Amino acid sequence: MSDFLVIGGGIIGLLTARELTAAGARVALIDKSETGTESSWAGGGIISPLYPWRYHDAVTRLASWSQQHYPELCEELAELSDVDPEYTGSGLLILDNEEQAAAVLWAEANDKRLEVVGGERIRRLEPGLGDVPDQALWLPDVGQVRNPRMVRALRQTVGRLARITERSEVLELLVNDGRVAGVRTPEGRLEADRVIVCAGAWTAQLLEQLGSRPEIEPVRGQMILFYAQPGDLQRIVLHQDRYAIPRRDGRVLFGSTLEHGGFDKSTSAEVREALHERAVDMFPVLRKAAVEKHWAGLRPGSPSGIPYIGAYPGIEGLYFNAGHFRNGVVLGPASARLMADIALGRDPIVPPRAYAMDADRRA
Ligand SMILES: Cc1cc2nc3c(=O)[nH]c(=O)nc-3n(C[C@H](O)[C@H](O)[C@H](O)COP(=O)(O)OP(=O)(O)OC[C@H]3O[C@@H](n4cnc5c(N)ncnc54)[C@H](O)[C@@H]3O)c2cc1C
């Protein structure tokens, strides 16, 4: 029997399994579909929250830890697998200026490089922009990963150390005398005396059978992908909640929407049209590029975006690491380390209280 059973093989479950195996634990991971095909595949891969000053310190702490470790993590994954997650330090250019003072204060308090830049500098940083505002915020240290590659690299490396079962859904968490005993799947029962729920947007559904449930609900995000050429865009650019992410091969992601509509992952022609219009308006250079793909993913939405990481109250051996909302890729490495610290009784990398089930998550 394994020491831990991880439910869910998105970026959070895979990174959690990686941390536990690194500490010598025997780990099994189970996913209802294929690992890394839900939100963690659909996301943008920006290694920073959008408008990072708007978030609670509990989010900034995890983001900062991850940001420090991402380049090394991606190098390691590229070496150990045949997939390079393509960590790229593109920098983040934010064209909104209404919250400049708050942004500067946040950067000073958190030791982040953030500059207010003027028109000419903006043009030099991103020649692909159409209209250039008088001022913008420039965060040169923000990177990105190609998240579908990141999860593939993780799947390969974790798969060598943990037992991964795909296409098997956990239907029920089994509890005996206040202790977790395992899970029920369509294929039968799996015994486990320590279970970590990393089921993304589906986490609340699974935990509500036991009484208290985290406030996690699916929030759909639609995204389009332009078949653009290398050099067409250079930077991650954000304006009024829409952003462009240029990949190394020239492709450009543009997104994304925030839609509350249950577990519906469908896309709509209107959104595709609206995203396309906004993208070519911001970046005329994209007019010549075809839209190669359009998709939607279900973010694990949580109040204020503070994830739930910790022990489930009243049931020994049951833990959760979920609810990362818009920031699961950037928060993932730190969340996984913190989860392992808690479950293994180590000193935690950050104070864990803010991520408990009953912590106050309202902004
Ligand atoms: C359009 C979009 C853009 C985004 N951009 C960014 C970004 O730029 N930067 C960033 O940091 N984050 C971004 N995100 C958010 C990020 O993608 C998510 O926060 C992150 O992927 C959540 O990871 P997860 O592992 O918790 O969830 P998921 O990747 O959804 O994984 C959950 C897994 O659990 C499995 N599962 C669920 N229920 C069960 C069950 N009962 N039994 C077995 N398995 C189960 C699912 O099959 C799934 O594989 C974006 C998200 C979207 C949708």
Side-chain angles (χ1 to χ4, degrees):
M1 193 166 82
S2 313
D3 300 316
F4 288 94
L5 173 64
V6 174
I7 304 174
I11 194 163
I12 300 300
L14 287 168
L15 285 166
T16 301
R18 176 181 170 273
E19 285 291 343
L20 293 168
T21 54
R26 288 167 307 167
V27 178
L29 182 149
I30 184 166
D31 198 292
K32 69 180 171 64
S33 51
E34 281 173 38
T35 58
T37 52
E38 291 290 351
S39 189
S40 302
W41 177 90
I46 304 172
I47 307 301
S48 170
L50 304 174
Y51 309 105
W53 58 89
R54 292 182 187 171
Y55 285 88
H56 194 284
D57 283 348
V59 171
T60 303
R61 270 184 223 121
L62 293 177
S64 299
W65 193 95
S66 292
Q67 283 161 344
Q68 272 174 24
H69 291 82
Y70 245 107
E72 198 189 330
L73 169 64
C74 290
E75 249 173 58
E76 184 190 307
L77 290 174
E79 240 169 62
L80 296 178
S81 73
D82 60 18
V83 189
D84 182 351
E86 295 191 3
Y87 178 87
T88 307
S90 329
L92 170 63
L93 191 58
I94 303 180
L95 306 183
D96 310 67
N97 284 303
E98 298 76 11
E99 296 166 34
Q100 223 178 64
V104 169
L105 276 178
W106 170 86
E108 280 168 8
N110 291 285
D111 209 17
K112 305 281 185 196
R113 286 207 294 160
L114 180 148
E115 288 173 60
V116 177
V117 289
E120 220 175 279
R121 181 87 191 284
I122 301 171
R123 172 69 67 211
R124 261 186 287 131
L125 282 166
E126 185 43 81
L129 270 171
D131 292 337
V132 170
D134 291 341
Q135 290 195 319
L137 297 168
W138 170 232
L139 288 87
D141 298 326
V142 170
Q144 58 157 304
V145 290
R146 216 155 162 165
N147 39 299
R149 291 182 184 219
M150 175 85 192
V151 280
R152 255 171 44 222
L154 274 169
R155 168 69 177 84
Q156 277 188 23
T157 52
V158 172
R160 286 191 209 114
L161 302 166
R163 190 160 44 83
I164 296 183
T165 307
E166 294 178 307
R167 292 175 215 89
S168 180
E169 181 172 4
V170 171
L171 302 171
E172 190 187 352
L173 296 160
L174 304 172
V175 178
N176 237 342
D177 275 344
R179 266 210 74 95
V180 75
V183 300
R184 184 170 64 81
T185 73
E187 293 76 35
R189 291 162 69 100
L190 274 178
E191 313 278 308
D193 47 31
R194 288 200 277 181
V195 173
I196 306 182
V197 183
C198 303
W202 296 266
T203 299
Q205 262 186 353
L206 207 50
L207 288 174
E208 82 182 336
Q209 310 162 351
L210 303 175
S212 16
R213 46 166 277 168
E215 272 186 76
I216 299 175
E217 56 155 20
V219 181
R220 180 169 59 181
Q222 298 191 46
M223 189 97 103
I224 56 174
L225 180 72
F226 286 90
Y227 191 72
Q229 297 307 308
D232 278 352
L233 296 192
Q234 326 253 340
R235 310 293 177 189
I236 303 166
V237 181
L238 170 63
H239 186 222
Q240 291 176 356
D241 225 29
R242 293 286 179 266
Y243 52 82
I245 310 171
R247 300 302 201 202
R248 284 189 197 172
D249 64 4
R251 288 182 166 89
V252 173
L253 278 84
F254 193 85
S256 62
T257 55
L258 276 178
E259 303 167 65
H260 296 259
F263 289 92
D264 174 11
K265 250 187 355 181
S266 59
T267 56
S268 74
E270 301 80 65
V271 169
R272 179 190 169 112
E273 188 49 39
L275 287 174
H276 183 263
E277 206 175 297
R278 238 341 249 297
V280 299
D281 189 45
M282 274 172 80
F283 307 101
V285 65
L286 292 178
R287 220 174 273 283
K288 63 178 171 39
V291 173
E292 194 182 356
K293 247 187 194 157
H294 173 207
W295 67 85
L298 298 175
R299 306 177 185 89
S302 56
S304 310
I306 302 175
Y308 291 81
I309 308 167
Y312 190 87
I315 297 181
E316 216 179 311
L318 182 61
Y319 303 89
F320 43 79
N321 185 5
H324 296 75
F325 203 1
R326 307 193 79 174
N327 299 309
V329 181
V330 52
L331 304 184
S335 302
R337 173 64 67 91
L338 176 63
M339 182 71 264
D341 290 342
I342 294 169
L344 298 169
R346 302 186 304 213
D347 281 346
I349 50 160
V350 297
R353 175 67 202 138
Y355 316 99
M357 183 86 87
D358 60 352
D360 184 5
R361 283 179 169 72
R362 302 287 155 195

